[in-house]
Each structure stands twice: as structure tokens, then as C-alpha cells.
Amino acid sequence: MALVEIKNLEAAVGGKPILKGIDLTINPGEVHAIMGPNGSGKSTLSSVLAGRETYTVTGGSVLFDGKDLLDLSPEERACEGLFMAFQYPVEIPGVTTSYFLKAAVNAIRKHHGQDELDAMDFLKMVKEKMALLEMDKTFLNRSVNEGFSGGEKKRNEIFQMAVLNPKFAILDETDSGLDIDALKIVANGVNALRSPERAILVVTHYQRLLDYIVPDFVHVLCDGRIVKSGGKELALELEKRGYAWLETAAA
Amino acid sequence: MPTDEGTIETLANQEYKWGFVTDIEADALPKGLNEDIVRAISKRKNEPEFMTQWRLKAYRHWLTMTEPKWPNVKYPKIDFQDVIYYSAPKAKKQLKSLDEVDPELLRTYEKLGVPLEEQKIFAGVAVDAVFDSVSVATTFKAKLAEMGVIFCSFSEAVQEHPELISKYLGSVVPYSDNFYATLNSAVFSDGSFCYVPKGVRCPMELSTYFRINAKNTGQFERTLIIADEGAYVSYLEGCTAPMRDENQLHAAVVELVALKGAQIKYSTVQNWYPGDKEGKGGIYNFVTKRGKCMDSARISWTQVETGSAITWKYPSVILQGDNSIGEFYSVALTNHMQQADTGTKMIHIGKNTRSTVVSKGISAGKGQNTYRGLIKILKNATNARNYTECDSLLLGDKCGAHTFPYIEVRNTSSKAEHEASTSKIGEDQLFYCKQRGISLEDAVNMIINGFCKEVFRELPMEFAVEAQKLLGVSLEGSVG
């Protein structure tokens, strides 16, 4: 059974249509990349899937693990196993990363009727995941994203993904603002999290990230529709030819 | 899906949980204020002549004063002749132990969570409970007495330690200080008194819970704490009032005296009835709190203010001695129609004096939150230092935050720093939390808790927990 089944999804912001009928099926274990020029609706798609209230779904449906995703609140989606790595991770002053993550882990566990993790078990689990992203020990006691460099913020997103262990992860422009070293660390982290049970949707403007996170499928989004789908070689073609030839096709 | 704004409103609109009234017979003087009432209060309390004269002096001075108009708060004019200035629960006889305390009263305290019963006392909290105007039970007094610590009701101190009262009463907040402090000086009914002798470190947190119960009763407590040379004491004041339609006047005075090398830590958790959503009812809290530091002494005020319809309060420190330290850590939350005008005054007189001010204002609903602070560094206070940090957090778009910092520096070797910020709990922050599975309510609590962290960590542990509960947040920092 498909993990994510998007059918003719339409969405608008402030009355302006952005997504104009998206069809996309993602199976467990697959990595899909969504590429496209600025303003094509890439980030809107991520936000709509995550449940951001500023976007209005005007048509279509999304099934997530057999459930009607659009019927769930953002926190319910998260508890059901949907994770989004933010393009611009938010700072929360005074709240330590460990406290924040423990709250998230336990909210999800509670949703599934599991006992909450105590401080010791939580710490043990978290430390294993930190090694994966080559993170410094002091990191847990720092306020969430406060005073983090761009690279640290993105690493923190993937670290959270590792801790929360989602079924479906959306990486929204995770490569933006990363230098090549940080990009490699982040990509290594993501690759380590690829598994037969988990699906990943990589949203990116550039092909560069896909050198490190090699997708199974590439889709090109133009003006709110998927205009072309293919394998990883499509990304390379886009790198060479740009988006213009597809935009013409869409119009 | 509910909008964030809607849910924030739900959070802000939580009902006041302590709105019950205890049915106890009260012994009250008639409404209104004149010299006879002042004398009657003094007589009821069997006070020595010097106290009666002091009260009358204050009353006569009060007649010449007018209410201050400068605070950034609005309320209908108070009719001071329509207030009952003395109300005591009618005691059948002198109380010797807790067993003799009216069980109804004990149940009230139980509802409030005051640890009056013996087993709870062993947790190490000595409680001087003020019910309406009279102190009904003082615990652990004997143990404290062994160390020479005096901790009792103000009335008892007047009877048993008149020499300390006459020496220190009004020494920090003079009877003529301001409209409300002067009114308090004339009519105060009771309060707490504490004296810690030279070099003694008070072994437990001292605590007073105030509860305003009887109808139309103004409550005028007077608290006096003296830490003799090299002594240390940590004191907590917690407040709760029942729900009332009438506005209730509260004008307390707290004086702290820290002699050479002494340290006083004074923490307040205030959740008096804030009035309903339309701003009906609620406590008017006009309080004068001030401490005086001699050489190398230190006074810290920590306050968490979530209640009262109007809060008008500036816990201050006079840094008279060289090398003395004053601190002020504050969280003030206003929602619905609540108004708070609060802050501090740090008066640097001695050399090398230092002060720190950390103020966190949270506004929700239609709440208005004002920080007003004065940092005054006098000519002889060379090398004085001040650091002020003043942050405001807004929930929703109908509330307000205002900041009025005054800084006066009269010499060139001193340094005053002021940092201020205003932020709004953002959609982005809330969405980020929700995307990680955290409910909106928990997310709001978490963000507020993070915002207040610097202040909460100054509170004694057990009270930090209470304070966090008061803000409707769960305990943070149990990991890592």
C-alpha cells in the first residue's frame, strides 16, 4: 500500500491558487525529489502536507498511511509520523533542545498509547542520534536554534528527524544556506535514515543536494502542477538545461 | 481546526480556581476612616502608646496627600470611607496549637495548598498564615527560636519585641512615604515580622500566605524583616483571594533591613483574583516594598505576579552601604482586563554598589503591562554598576506592553546598561512545535516558560514549581 497518496491536490493562499492539481504517490522506502523554479509551489506543497493554517486546501485529497491527512491537525499529523525539516527553523529562547525534543517524543508516544520516556532513557536514545549528525554535547542544553549558525540549524532538523523516527519526512529546501561540508554532514544523516519503512520527500531548487541524497524519483513542479517525472537522471538534465523548457511546456 | 489565536484566548480565559468564600464569623470595625477608627485598631491590638501615636501621625499626614495619578493604570475612584479597615476572624480564645484553629479555616488553607499540617511542616517550611487581618497560626516558631530567629505575626512582635519595632518600623518606608504606604501606616492590621540575629543563617524558607476573605475588607499588611550583620534569610510570600464582585483594596508595606554583610531573599508569588473577563471585580494591589542594604549586604526581590485587577508595585533597594548588591527578578502576567504597572528602583548611594534588574512582562487578552524602573546612581556611588534587562511578550493583538526606564547617573566611574525587547509568540514558533507533535497548549506553555526562565531559576525550588503552575506551565529542565 502506498504511504502517501496525493490526488488532484489544490491549495490557495489569500485567495490566490498556488497548487493546481498535484498527483503524487509515494511508497515506503522511496525517496522522491520535488524540484522546480521559484514560485512553482514547492514550499506550499510541503506546508500543506504539514498542515500549516495559512494555506487553504481548495480541492483534492491526501491519504497518509490510509488516513485522510487533510482531516488531521498539524500535531496529529506529526504524531502519525509525518515530519517536516523546516527551511527556516524557528528559535525558541529559554527552551533547551533536550526539553523540546523530550516533549515532542513523549507527545508522540502518548498518542500511540505508550509510556512516556523518563529522563535517563531519553538521554540515552538521544546521544546515539547525536553521533549520527556529529553534534556537540553542549547542544542539548542550548535553547532551540537560538544563536545557531545556518548549518547547525539544518543539522538540528535532521537530528530531530532521527530522534522522532517518522514514517514520512519532508525536507523543505534543507540545502539552502549550507556550505559543502555542512551539506555532506546533513546528507549523510539523511542517508543513514533511509529505510524500507520510511519515505522521504526532498524539496529543493538545486540539483546539488541530490548528488548526496540520491532520489529514486524526481518530479518537476511548475506553476502548481507536476509537469514531468522521471528517475535521478532527470535532476541532472535540469541542471544542464534549467527549468525554462519545462515552464514553456506547462504553459 | 481551531486557530491559534482562538486557543490562546481559551488559555488566557481560564477560570479563577480559588473563588470560594470561607464562612467564618468576622469581628470587624465599621466602614470608614477617622482618628477614632485608627485608635480603635490600635486598641484592639493592645498596642503600646508609641504605636498609636505613630499611626495617628501617619493618618494626619495621609489627610494632606492625594492619590498618585502617574501610574499607567485606569480604575474608578476609590471611596476610602467605604472600606472596612479592620476585620478579624472571631477567635473564641487564644490559640495554642493547630488543633485549636477553626477547622473551616484549615480546610480553606488546604484548598489553597498551604502546608499547615504537621507532616507538611516537616518539609521544612515555616508558615505564618494571615487570614484577613490577623495571623492565626505560626508554626515552627520554637525551632527557629532556638537559633534566635524571631518569626511571628507583626502584632505579636509589637507585644513581645517593641524595642525592635520602634527601632526599625518606618526606617526604610517612612510613615510619610506615599499615599498608600501612609494609609497602611495608619491602619495596618497585621503582617509578618522576622528578625535573624548576627551571623545566623536561617535554616528554612520562611513563608506567609495571605488570603483576603471577608467582604469589603481592605487588607493592609505590614511586613518587617531584619537580617542582622552577616545573617541570611529567604522569605516567600504567596497570595490568593476569593472571587468577589466588589473591587478589594490591598495596600501592603514591606520593609527589609539588611545590615552589614547580611542577605535577604524575598520571593513573592501573587495570584489574587484578577477580575472577570470584562474587568469586573478583582483586587487593587497598591504595594510599597523596599529594602535597605548596609555595607556588603545583598537584597534580592523575586516576584511572579499573575493576579490582581491592578498591580502597582515597585520593590526597591536602597544600596546605602559600600559594595552592597540589589537584585530584582520579575515575571508579570496580565490578561483579560488586568493592568500592571510594576518595576523597581535601585538607589545607589555607596561605592562599588551593584544592581541587576530582570523584568519579564507577559500580556494576553486585553491586558496592559507596564515596566517602570528607576536606576539612580548618586555622586558618591563611584564604580557603581547596573544591568537592566526588560523583555515583553505579547499573546494576541489586543494587549499592550509599555516600558518606562529612568536612569540617572551622577558620576563618571559608574556604568548602567539597559536592554529591552518586545516579542510576540509567533505563528512560526507555534507551528514549529505543533509539527513536532506538541499540542498548542503545551507549546504556548513551553514558550512562556522559556521566556521566564531567568526569573524562575531565582525562586526557591518548591516555589518555582508553584510559580510555573501558576502560569499554567509544566516544569522544565528535568533533562540534561
Side-chain angles (χ1 to χ4, degrees):
Chain A
M1 192 181 71
L3 182 67
V4 183
E5 222 175 330
I6 304 172
K7 279 191 182 150
N8 199 28
L9 182 65
E10 293 176 15
V13 61
K16 189 181 175 236
I18 308 281
L19 301 183
K20 300 173 181 173
I22 304 271
D23 289 290
L24 181 62
T25 301
I26 302 172
N27 292 305
E30 292 176 353
V31 175
H32 290 242
I34 296 270
M35 299 186 70
N38 288 328
S40 58
K42 297 190 302 285
S43 281
T44 301
L45 179 61
S46 316
S47 297
V48 166
L49 292 177
R52 189 141 203 166
E53 289 93 340
T54 38
Y55 297 88
T56 317
V57 175
T58 48
S61 65
V62 181
L63 279 183
F64 174 54
D65 210 10
K67 293 187 181 72
D68 181 356
L69 184 77
L70 301 177
D71 206 31
L72 302 177
S73 67
E75 54 270 37
E76 285 167 335
R77 297 178 196 200
C79 289
E80 288 294 330
L82 183 148
F83 177 89
M84 181 163 90
F86 283 65
Q87 182 177 5
Y88 304 108
V90 178
E91 299 186 2
I92 310 178
V95 177
T96 61
T97 302
S98 69
Y99 182 79
F100 176 76
L101 263 179
K102 187 163 171 263
V105 166
N106 283 332
I108 294 171
R109 290 182 68 94
K110 207 171 142 195
H111 180 81
H112 293 288
Q114 294 166 310
D115 288 342
E116 298 195 354
L117 281 187
D118 66 26
M120 294 312 287
D121 290 340
F122 172 76
L123 219 54
K124 195 172 154 234
M125 186 264 279
V126 153
K127 286 205 164 135
E128 287 166 18
K129 312 288 184 185
M130 285 177 78
L132 187 70
L133 274 299
E134 301 176 34
M135 304 187 80
D136 191 81
K137 263 182 280 179
T138 60
F139 170 83
L140 282 178
N141 293 324
R142 290 167 66 187
S143 294
V144 178
N145 291 324
E146 198 185 29
F148 284 26
S149 70
E152 281 177 319
K153 284 184 182 172
K154 295 299 173 75
R155 252 196 278 175
N156 188 11
E157 293 296 291
I158 306 305
F159 165 63
Q160 291 180 39
M161 172 180 161
V163 170
L164 298 178
N165 198 25
K167 286 183 215 154
F168 178 44
I170 302 165
L171 312 186
D172 189 11
E173 309 253 2
T174 294
D175 50 334
S176 69
L178 288 188
D179 61 34
I180 194 69
D181 294 328
L183 185 72
K184 281 183 188 164
I185 294 173
V186 166
N188 286 341
V190 173
N191 286 328
L193 293 171
R194 290 177 84 145
S195 85
E197 294 82 37
R198 189 180 349 258
I200 299 175
L201 184 65
V202 182
V203 176
T204 181
H205 187 79
Y206 299 104
Q207 189 269 337
R208 187 179 70 154
L209 178 66
L210 304 181
D211 285 342
Y212 300 96
I213 305 172
V214 181
D216 303 304
F217 302 95
V218 175
H219 312 276
V220 183
L221 200 59
C222 276
D223 193 27
R225 291 185 185 91
I226 291 177
V227 294
K228 196 167 176 58
S229 296
K232 61 184 178 228
E233 62 290 343
L234 178 58
L236 294 167
E237 193 180 352
L238 287 169
E239 179 77 355
K240 263 191 234 131
R241 298 179 63 186
Y243 289 111
W245 59 288
L246 286 166
E247 279 178 285
T248 326
Chain B
M1 229 177 296
T3 63
D4 291 347
E5 294 291 329
T7 317
I8 289 172
E9 247 162 59
T10 316
L11 287 180
N13 289 351
Q14 277 169 359
E15 296 264 332
Y16 187 70
K17 286 185 191 135
W18 315 113
F20 50 86
V21 177
T22 308
D23 194 11
I24 292 179
E25 238 185 308
D27 164 31
L29 285 173
K31 270 185 190 173
L33 188 55
N34 53 48
E35 287 207 7
D36 290 341
I37 293 280
V38 175
R39 282 181 207 279
I41 293 170
S42 190
K43 194 164 176 230
R44 289 271 161 127
K45 309 196 72 65
N46 195 27
E47 287 178 349
E49 184 60 18
F50 83 89
M51 281 299 303
T52 316
Q53 288 311 317
W54 196 76
R55 286 175 182 276
L56 286 170
K57 207 160 56 174
Y59 174 68
R60 286 167 195 146
H61 189 77
W62 182 72
L63 291 175
T64 69
M65 302 171 96
T66 50
E67 278 178 82
K69 291 277 181 269
W70 49 264
N72 188 25
V73 295
K74 293 188 186 74
Y75 54 92
K77 201 166 167 47
I78 299 169
D79 180 357
F80 289 95
Q81 295 303 338
D82 195 37
V83 173
I84 296 171
Y85 288 89
Y86 182 83
S87 163
K90 214 172 234 171
K92 292 191 179 69
K93 55 181 177 181
Q94 196 75 34
L95 304 173
K96 290 193 190 71
S97 81
L98 282 182
D99 302 341
E100 297 177 36
V101 173
D102 188 333
E104 188 67 24
L105 204 54
L106 287 179
R107 269 195 291 279
T108 304
Y109 283 124
E110 227 170 89
K111 280 191 227 170
L112 291 176
V114 179
L116 257 187
E117 308 100 293
E118 294 288 344
Q119 67 267 40
K120 288 186 186 162
I121 291 161
F122 287 121
V125 182
V127 178
D128 179 32
V130 177
F131 190 88
D132 281 335
S133 304
V134 171
S135 187
V136 287
T138 302
T139 53
F140 251 70
K141 216 160 69 180
K143 192 177 170 206
L144 290 170
E146 276 171 36
M147 306 186 72
V149 176
I150 303 165
F151 179 44
C152 61
S153 70
F154 202 97
S155 320
E156 201 176 328
V158 169
Q159 302 303 320
E160 290 175 19
H161 310 281
E163 71 294 344
L164 288 173
I165 297 289
S166 68
K167 185 170 176 190
Y168 291 108
L169 177 66
S171 68
V172 186
V173 180
Y175 74 86
S176 56
D177 194 80
N178 69 69
F179 186 83
Y180 295 108
T182 301
L183 177 62
N184 173 289
S185 301
V187 302
F188 74 88
S189 36
D190 213 334
S192 294
F193 175 83
C194 176
Y195 171 81
V196 185
K198 259 185 206 179
V200 170
R201 192 180 164 87
C202 185
M204 62 188 83
E205 312 276 354
L206 301 182
S207 169
T208 303
Y209 281 76
F210 294 104
R211 178 162 162 79
I212 303 175
N213 192 64
K215 229 172 175 181
N216 281 331
T217 310
Q219 186 158 15
F220 302 90
E221 316 89 355
R222 186 102 197 174
T223 296
L224 175 58
I225 298 174
I226 302 141
D228 211 326
E229 291 180 13
Y232 167 87
V233 63
S234 169
Y235 188 90
L236 183 110
E237 175 199 307
C239 317
T240 305
M243 200 179 293
R244 289 277 179 215
D245 275 344
E246 294 86 352
N247 288 301
Q248 290 176 293
L249 179 62
H250 185 90
V253 172
V254 176
E255 293 181 277
L256 308 182
V257 181
L259 297 178
K260 192 176 166 186
Q263 189 182 346
I264 301 176
K265 207 171 149 55
Y266 192 102
S267 314
T268 305
V269 174
Q270 187 264 111
N271 68 330
W272 278 330
Y273 182 49
D276 67 12
K277 281 170 227 166
E278 280 76 45
K280 203 172 168 217
I283 303 289
Y284 289 179
N285 192 17
F286 302 107
V287 182
T288 304
K289 292 185 165 178
R290 196 176 302 151
K292 188 162 76 174
C293 281
M294 303 314 285
D295 284 357
S296 303
R298 178 177 191 154
I299 288 178
S300 309
W301 296 102
T302 306
Q303 59 172 27
V304 177
E305 304 275 327
T306 65
S308 296
I310 294 175
T311 302
W312 179 94
K313 179 178 173 187
Y314 316 91
S316 306
V317 184
I318 299 169
L319 297 160
Q320 187 162 321
D322 295 347
N323 306 307
S324 57
I325 298 173
E327 292 163 314
F328 174 75
Y329 302 94
S330 168
V331 168
L333 173 93
T334 54
N335 65 31
H336 303 323
M337 302 292 280
Q338 274 180 283
Q339 310 171 65
D341 191 312
T342 183
T344 184
K345 287 187 266 186
M346 294 289 173
I347 313 296
H348 294 252
I349 299 170
K351 295 179 185 24
N352 306 315
T353 45
R354 281 185 287 148
S355 63
T356 304
V357 175
V358 177
S359 164
K360 305 279 184 180
I362 302 163
S363 316
K366 293 179 184 164
Q368 294 294 327
N369 214 321
T370 300
Y371 169 81
R372 187 185 302 276
L374 171 66
I375 306 301
K376 193 169 188 170
I377 298 178
L378 298 182
K379 193 158 178 278
N380 292 328
T382 48
N383 294 312
R385 292 279 179 274
N386 162 262
Y387 172 76
T388 299
E389 185 190 323
C390 187
D391 300 319
S392 306
L393 188 68
L394 304 174
L395 285 85
D397 52 11
K398 294 188 190 78
C399 52
H402 316 269
T403 306
F404 302 103
Y406 302 88
I407 301 172
E408 283 178 46
V409 181
R410 300 273 170 81
N411 68 58
T412 52
S413 60
S414 294
K415 198 169 141 190
E417 289 174 70
H418 183 93
E419 286 182 21
S421 76
T422 301
S423 51
K424 213 177 148 177
I425 289 195
E427 291 285 315
D428 287 351
Q429 279 177 326
L430 292 175
F431 183 67
Y432 190 74
C433 294
K434 287 192 290 184
Q435 209 301 304
R436 298 302 185 247
I438 299 165
S439 70
L440 179 65
E441 186 170 328
D442 288 348
V444 170
N445 286 343
M446 185 187 282
I447 293 165
I448 288 179
N449 198 0
F451 176 74
C452 301
K453 194 177 202 170
E454 281 166 279
V455 174
F456 285 162
R457 76 174 165 227
E458 294 299 324
L459 285 173
M461 179 62 92
E462 54 272 47
F463 302 128
V465 175
E466 185 179 335
Q468 289 183 348
K469 273 193 207 148
L470 266 187
L471 291 188
V473 301
S474 52
L475 181 64
E476 197 199 323
S478 51
V479 179

